[in-house]
């Protein structure tokens, strides 16, 4: 990593950490620790995870696979960088993408739920979509550069009783408790620094899932 990149910092927070200025090195270290803890839990509980990724383009599943033996709990990943890929791989309706855009709560919710349907051996799904930047002078998207939406889908029996209170106190914008699966939706706005946004998105996804599972 170039020196100037490593010196950049980004305001970061999740339900397990107060707002802090973190560098790429800080986030990478925290990501590695959180990843190991989540992996150990999933392996112990015999749970399987699938990711559905847009702006991170497979980076999240890549970080998870960094752990030796990750095949015990990582079932797979859907890399849906374009709208066409979201439609083809996960069956996201074109009218939904046109109405809400790819960076929206309804789209990430559908990405998470549909990835569980497409890969039924998975128990938990993590979906994310956002604008990593850089922001240009003629920015015309519906959301600000640095905006990331997340959806975490998991079986109801895995959810701790305090989760609803925890989510209400963080960035969770919707908690949908279905018959069998609960979907938690989040919106974060990071500083529009492309590599840091993508790294922060991976870190937030892993740590927020850990918080829901009360790891």
């Amino acid at each position: 990593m170039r020196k100037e990149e490593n010196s950049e910092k980004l305001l970061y927070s999740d339900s397990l950490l107060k707002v802090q200025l973190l560098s790429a090195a800080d986030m990478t270290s925290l990501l590695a620790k959180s990843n190991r803890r989540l992996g150990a839990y999933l392996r112990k509980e015999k749970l399987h995870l699938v990711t559905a990724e847009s702006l991170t383009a497979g980076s999240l599943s890549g970080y998870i696979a960094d752990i030796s033996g990750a095949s015990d709990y990582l079932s797979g990943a859907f890399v849906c960088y374009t709208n066409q890929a979201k439609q083809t791989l996960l069956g996201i309706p074109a009218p939904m993408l046109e109405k809400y855009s790819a960076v929206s709560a309804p789209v990430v919710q559908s990405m998470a739920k549909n990835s569980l349907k497409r890969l039924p051996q998975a128990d938990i799904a993590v979906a994310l979509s956002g604008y990593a930047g850089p922001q240009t002078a003629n920015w015309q998207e519906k959301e600000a550069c640095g905006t990331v939406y997340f959806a975490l889908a998991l079986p109801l029996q895995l959810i701790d009783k305090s989760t609803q209170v925890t989510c209400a106190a963080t960035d969770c914008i919707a908690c949908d408790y279905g018959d069998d699966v609960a979907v938690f939706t989040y919106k974060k706005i990071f500083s529009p620094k492309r590599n840091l946004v993508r790294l922060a998105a991976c870190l937030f996804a892993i740590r927020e899932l850990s918080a829901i599972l009360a790891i």
Side-chain angles (χ1 to χ4, degrees):
M1 180 174 291
R2 298 195 305 270
K3 183 176 180 180
E4 60 268 23
E5 288 179 343
N6 199 34
S7 65
E8 290 185 334
K9 292 191 175 184
L10 178 147
L11 272 173
Y12 176 86
S13 68
D14 57 43
S15 62
L16 301 174
L17 184 70
K18 294 180 180 179
V19 177
Q20 291 188 18
L21 271 174
L22 297 179
S23 66
D26 294 331
M27 285 191 284
T28 300
S29 176
L30 190 54
L31 178 57
K33 294 176 183 177
S34 302
N35 190 22
R36 286 194 296 270
R37 188 164 54 247
L38 176 62
Y41 175 87
L42 295 175
R43 180 182 287 111
K44 177 184 175 183
E45 299 298 324
K46 294 181 172 55
L47 296 170
H48 296 88
L49 175 71
V50 60
T51 68
E53 307 179 50
S54 185
L55 87 156
T56 49
S59 294
L60 176 57
S61 60
Y63 282 120
I64 294 170
D66 279 344
I67 305 275
S68 178
S71 58
D72 290 343
Y73 50 85
L74 177 61
S75 292
F78 294 96
V79 178
C80 306
Y81 204 71
T82 65
N83 282 358
Q84 184 174 358
K86 291 176 180 66
Q87 295 174 62
T88 302
L89 297 178
L90 290 176
I92 308 301
M96 176 183 288
L97 290 164
E98 293 170 4
K99 180 176 181 180
Y100 298 105
S101 88
V103 182
S104 63
V107 168
V108 292
Q109 289 162 356
S110 293
M111 287 170 64
K113 289 185 284 189
N114 288 3
S115 62
L116 288 178
K117 294 176 182 176
R118 298 288 173 101
L119 203 62
Q121 60 267 43
D123 307 289
I124 300 169
V126 178
L128 58 168
S129 183
Y131 297 119
Q135 184 159 354
T136 59
N138 61 342
W139 187 263
Q140 297 179 348
E141 304 294 348
K142 294 181 179 180
E143 299 276 7
C145 186
T147 300
V148 184
Y149 281 89
F150 304 80
L152 311 179
L154 60 163
L156 289 174
Q157 65 265 27
L158 294 180
I159 300 171
D160 185 86
K161 291 181 180 179
S162 64
T163 296
Q164 193 165 1
V165 176
T166 301
C167 287
T170 62
D171 301 273
C172 188
I173 59 174
C175 300
D176 179 17
Y177 294 90
D179 293 334
D180 301 309
V181 175
V183 180
F184 299 92
T185 310
Y186 303 81
K187 178 182 179 181
K188 294 288 290 183
I189 302 178
F190 300 111
S191 300
K193 299 175 181 178
R194 186 173 181 82
N195 290 336
L196 291 184
V197 168
R198 287 158 49 88
L199 181 58
C202 292
L203 177 59
F204 183 86
I206 286 177
R207 286 176 62 81
E208 213 55 43
L209 177 58
S210 298
I212 291 176
L213 295 171
I215 300 173

